[in-house]
Amino acid sequence: MNEQIRAREVRLVGPEGEQVGIVPLERALQLAADVDLDLVEVAPMARPPVCKLMDFGKFKYESALKAREARRNQQQTVIKEMKLRPKIDPHDYETKKGHVVRFLKAGDKVKVTIMFRGREQSRPELGYRLLRRLESEISELGYVEAAPKQDGRNMIMVLAPHRAVKASATAAKAGAPREREASAEAQPAGEVPPAAAAGPAGTTGE
């Protein structure tokens, strides 16, 4: 940037992206000084290197804001795991299906594992039917991202939430901190909550 540039001449780009052409470095520095901008090398490996006139401080600030916003909007993938037996009790199945539903509603993927033991390993169709049943019963919330596959003594299937379900979960998570902040701002400083204003149980606090 500016005097740190070592090339004798540069291909100069104006502040609005217009092509100025190849000019001596001294001329480019003078043009930058005339408009109170920085001369920034944007393509150092080019011959001659490409430099642009810009407000470098403003550029760094805007880049930092964009990076922060990108991190905030980035959807982190969380994979939960639910383990079932091929001959699971109906009540246990409903309980575990409830957990799968909750995970999907929260925007998380779910790795469903059927665990075979002993002679059950010779009946993989039991696990396959159970997974297909689960798939059909949660179809409104998610879909099969990875089809059932035998992995040693286990059979594994991965469920993922539908895009609309995940978007709703992400929006809910993003809105929760704002709601807490709004609630805190609504509470006047120094105000004592009603529960705290009262004295011990059975007294008026007077």
Side-chain angles (χ1 to χ4, degrees):
M1 186 172 66
N2 298 328
E3 286 75 15
Q4 296 173 332
I5 300 172
R6 293 289 176 258
R8 294 183 178 180
E9 58 182 16
V10 299
R11 184 178 297 277
L12 186 63
V13 179
E16 301 301 324
E18 67 275 18
Q19 297 290 329
V20 179
I22 298 176
V23 299
L25 176 62
E26 293 77 9
R27 174 62 177 159
L29 288 170
Q30 184 59 54
L31 288 173
D34 290 345
V35 292
D36 196 26
L37 292 174
D38 297 302
L39 181 67
V40 181
E41 203 173 48
V42 294
M45 302 307 293
R47 291 291 179 269
V50 179
C51 294
K52 184 176 181 180
L53 299 175
M54 68 172 72
D55 183 338
F56 190 65
K58 180 180 178 182
F59 171 76
K60 285 181 64 178
Y61 174 73
E62 291 178 346
S63 296
L65 282 182
K66 289 179 181 178
R68 190 181 309 157
E69 188 66 22
R71 287 195 299 271
R72 183 181 304 163
N73 294 334
Q74 185 179 16
Q75 297 180 343
Q76 297 186 356
T77 301
V78 177
I79 299 181
K80 304 289 188 178
E81 183 172 17
M82 185 56 56
K83 296 182 178 180
L84 299 84
R85 294 291 306 280
K87 297 181 180 179
I88 188 171
D89 176 85
H91 176 74
D92 289 342
Y93 171 81
E94 291 299 328
T95 299
K96 296 203 171 187
K97 185 183 74 172
H99 291 318
V100 172
V101 167
R102 178 164 53 86
F103 294 149
L104 291 172
K105 284 183 176 180
D108 300 328
K109 294 183 180 181
V110 186
K111 175 184 174 183
V112 184
T113 302
I114 304 292
M115 302 180 298
F116 296 94
R117 294 180 183 174
R119 295 180 180 179
E120 292 175 346
Q121 296 179 61
S122 63
R123 301 287 305 279
E125 69 277 6
L126 295 177
Y128 185 80
R129 284 202 297 264
L130 187 60
L131 291 177
R132 286 308 184 192
R133 174 187 172 188
L134 180 61
E135 173 193 353
S136 66
E137 293 178 355
I138 57 85
S139 58
E140 292 185 1
L141 297 172
Y143 63 95
V144 175
E145 184 180 71
K149 180 179 66 174
Q150 193 77 27
D151 182 16
R153 295 185 177 183
N154 299 328
M155 182 176 287
I156 296 171
M157 178 177 73
V158 178
L159 300 171
H162 290 309
R163 185 174 300 177
V165 174
K166 187 166 186 177
S168 176
T170 302
K173 291 176 183 177
R178 287 196 290 268
E179 290 176 3
R180 287 196 294 269
E181 290 172 5
S183 177
E185 291 172 358
Q187 182 76 27
E191 183 174 325
V192 180
T203 68
T204 62
E206 294 179 354

